[in-house]
Amino acid sequence: MAGLRSGFGRYTHAIVRGIPESLAKEALRTGTGEEVDLAKAQREEEAYVEVLRTQLGLEVVELPADESLPDCVFVEDAAVVCGDTALITIPGAPSRRRETEAIKAALKDLNLNIVEMADENATLDGGDVLFTGQEFFVGLSKRTNQRGAEILADAFKDYAVSTVPVMEGLHLKSFCSMGGPGLIVIGSSEPAQKALKTMQQMSDHRYDKLTVPDDGAANCIYMNLPNKGHVLLHCTPEQYPESAKVFEKLKDYTLIPLSNLEKVKVDGALTCCSVLINKKANM
């Protein structure tokens, strides 16, 4: 298993998608309906893409926004990529099902092996899938069901897959993410801590944890890149001041704060806005 972990966080490509104007009024949300400033949301997305492309040197595939798909910027939910396999999901919200078409075409263009979920009773959002480098945890939530988790397990047979009930929040990764090899970043709420306990009990592996005061701040993007080493994209001090201080404890990391003040109003987090791929030279 150590060999599997050694490449954890290596990425060469990212798929992103533009923000449609319809996001502001029509995107799905679990919150109270705080108004989205569309221009600010688009600036946040531009800054995010700029970091991936310029600062981190990834090949970024930018798909155009689709006004008929208000949530289409949140590409993570449409596919789960591990190695050279891409599982095209059936998102839990029926209004989001067509989002997978453009993502599937982009992944095909990158020569990944495409696996589709053929069972119409299955639902799976990528935001419910936490890959640790050694195994998968799949949140059973309002958007992801047991059948979806079973199909994921079938698609990625090299890895154990465990399910975790998501009692609060939209997705499993609404309150956790990987902060490095063997390091889970977790929110401090009771549902988040309960989910972590479930993961620890189900796993044969030992994970360290980094607890942040705010659940939303626990959604980060970890990368391990040539010439850059450990990189963590995380919340800004403006959005989550106490949580941002916790990330400063990570020594030997390049820490890159990114604003997400607008997209969070429609349940968007940092991982939601990209599908990350490690494309081998011969793929």
Side-chain angles (χ1 to χ4, degrees), residues 17 58 121 235 264:
R17 197 165 189 180
L58 300 189
N121 295 313
C235 64
V264 76

Side-chain angles (χ1 to χ4, degrees), residues 14 35 46 100 103 105 134 138 142 155 164 217 222-223 229 231 236 264 271:
E35 197 164 323
E46 285 164 12
T100 61
I103 304 299
Q134 301 182 103
V138 179
K142 296 179 184 77
V164 183
Y222 168 76
M223 298 188 197
V231 176
T236 60
V264 76
T271 64

Side-chain angles (χ1 to χ4, degrees), residues 60-281:
V60 178
V61 178
E62 278 194 83
L63 303 177
D66 183 331
E67 287 300 331
S68 71
L69 297 169
D71 294 281
C72 66
V73 65
F74 303 126
V75 291
E76 173 183 52
D77 291 322
V80 177
V81 178
C82 184
D84 59 2
T85 298
L87 174 65
I88 308 302
T89 68
I90 299 177
S95 65
R96 299 193 61 194
R97 304 252 160 103
R98 283 196 306 110
E99 292 176 28
T100 61
E101 293 166 12
I103 304 299
K104 177 182 158 186
L107 290 164
K108 264 190 176 166
D109 287 346
L110 291 171
N111 297 320
L112 270 77
N113 299 323
I114 305 291
V115 178
E116 297 196 62
M117 292 174 63
D119 186 340
E120 61 189 25
N121 295 313
T123 61
L124 181 73
D125 275 16
D128 277 314
V129 179
L130 181 69
F131 179 59
T132 72
Q134 301 182 103
E135 62 191 318
F136 285 95
F137 293 109
V138 179
L140 298 182
S141 68
K142 296 179 184 77
R143 300 285 174 84
T144 295
N145 64 19
Q146 181 67 36
R147 186 69 191 115
E150 288 165 4
I151 292 172
L152 181 135
D154 203 44
F156 301 110
K157 288 189 171 76
D158 288 347
Y159 297 98
V161 175
S162 303
T163 56
V164 183
V166 176
M167 299 305 191
E168 278 185 35
L170 184 63
H171 290 130
L172 178 64
K173 286 192 289 196
S174 298
F175 52 74
C176 72
S177 62
M178 295 307 292
L183 177 66
I184 295 175
V185 183
I186 188 80
S188 59
S189 73
E190 191 180 336
Q193 290 295 315
K194 200 172 275 188
L196 177 66
K197 196 171 183 183
T198 301
M199 290 190 272
Q200 289 169 328
Q201 286 168 345
M202 289 182 146
S203 180
D204 292 333
H205 306 284
R206 210 189 136 271
Y207 295 101
D208 294 320
K209 67 172 181 174
L210 183 70
T211 303
V212 292
D214 308 282
D215 280 9
N219 182 281
C220 315
I221 300 174
Y222 168 76
M223 298 188 197
N224 182 6
L225 301 175
N227 306 320
K228 293 190 171 58
H230 300 294
V231 176
L232 196 72
L233 313 185
H234 64 85
C235 64
T236 60
E238 180 190 5
Q239 189 172 4
Y240 296 116
E242 294 308 311
S243 292
K245 286 178 194 165
V246 175
F247 294 118
E248 289 166 14
K249 295 177 185 171
L250 294 169
K251 302 303 174 196
D252 305 320
Y253 271 63
T254 299
L255 297 172
I256 303 176
L258 277 171
S259 177
N260 192 48
L261 284 163
E262 295 305 315
K263 288 181 300 227
V264 76
K265 295 173 185 174
V266 287
D267 302 314
L270 293 180
T271 64
C272 299
C273 298
S274 56
V275 175
L276 300 172
I277 300 140
N278 185 19
K279 194 168 169 350
K280 307 289 193 294

Side-chain angles (χ1 to χ4, degrees), residues 23-25 27-36 265-267:
L23 172 116
K25 297 278 188 281
L28 299 171
R29 61 175 83 202
T30 57
T32 53
E34 197 181 344
E35 197 164 323
V36 174
K265 295 173 185 174
V266 287
D267 302 314

